[in-house]
Amino acid sequence: SNVLQMFILLIIALVPLLMLKFGSKEFYPFVIFITSLCLLLHTSLISNYIWGTDIQHELYLSNLVLTNSYWNMNIQDNCNAMLSLVVLAPIMAIILKMKIIWVFKIVYSIIFALVPVGLYRVFHKQINAEVAFLASFFFISMHIFYTVMPALARQEIAELFFVLIILLILNNKIKPINRAILLLIFGSSMVVSHYGITYIFLFLIILAGIISYILDKFN
């Protein structure tokens, strides 16, 4: 019976109104995280099996590493070069004593649920808390967030590092040396997590540089 699930979805739909009316701003990040996780799990835990397209191949590569106890770098495959699949997932499966299928279903969902929280922090640095909360809630309300993303394990990890890099850029309180080290760590992690996100990030960096140059030129 999916009666309870439908009831939860109804409650989630009312969360923005309830939080803006009665909630405290201090709980905005927590509510965003819990709501995101509920939406992700209500999709990923629909059965004992994984579903989707890319994640089938991702599961195969991760299980291959776990079965052979080593990463075969000679396999010519884009996904085989993503450490979010061939290193992170097997390590988590060993440490947590879980099958990789449940690492993808549960652990990766928990990690990806942190992305909207990071976005809230990014938005909050630019606008007030209420609008930042609504913007983050709009992000998780898009059907791609809880239907497509649970089937793209490597992209879930990469998006977290992408948001962390944005947060780092906007944070002026961190010392330059610490910021450089963290940028190197987050940037390298994003590169080995998902190639597509890396291309998008490079494009945005180049675009931002061009716009900044044009503005400086005419000001």
Side-chain angles (χ1 to χ4, degrees), residues 68-117:
N68 297 331
S69 299
Y70 77 97
W71 169 34
N72 186 0
M73 296 181 290
N74 295 321
I75 299 177
Q76 298 182 1
D77 187 292
N78 290 336
C79 293
N80 190 57
M82 300 295 98
L83 302 188
S84 55
L85 300 176
V86 295
V87 174
L88 182 62
I91 288 177
M92 285 186 171
I94 294 172
I95 293 176
L96 300 175
K97 297 181 180 180
M98 298 172 62
K99 293 183 178 179
I100 288 186
I101 185 172
W102 294 109
V103 171
F104 284 160
K105 281 178 169 291
I106 299 176
V107 180
Y108 273 45
S109 293
I110 295 174
I111 294 175
F112 187 56
L114 294 172
V115 172
V117 179

Side-chain angles (χ1 to χ4, degrees), residues 118-119 121-122 125-126 160-188 201:
L119 288 177
R121 299 300 304 173
V122 171
K125 290 181 180 294
Q126 312 296 321
L160 176 62
F161 288 117
F162 184 85
V163 173
L164 288 175
I165 291 174
I166 298 176
L167 273 173
L168 198 59
I169 293 174
L170 295 176
N171 194 323
N172 298 321
K173 298 180 180 180
I174 301 179
K175 296 181 179 180
I177 182 63
N178 294 336
R179 178 179 297 182
I181 293 174
L182 289 175
L183 275 175
L184 180 61
I185 294 174
F186 295 157
S188 301
F201 178 76

Side-chain angles (χ1 to χ4, degrees), residues 50 53-64 79 82 84-86 89 100 104 108 149-156 193-195:
I50 59 171
T53 53
D54 287 18
I55 200 169
Q56 305 288 340
H57 187 53
E58 293 173 342
L59 179 64
Y60 167 75
L61 292 173
S62 299
N63 271 324
L64 193 64
C79 293
M82 300 295 98
S84 55
L85 300 176
V86 295
I100 288 186
F104 284 160
Y108 273 45
M149 291 307 300
L152 296 170
R154 64 190 187 278
Q155 188 170 332
E156 288 181 309
S193 294
H194 189 247
Y195 42 85

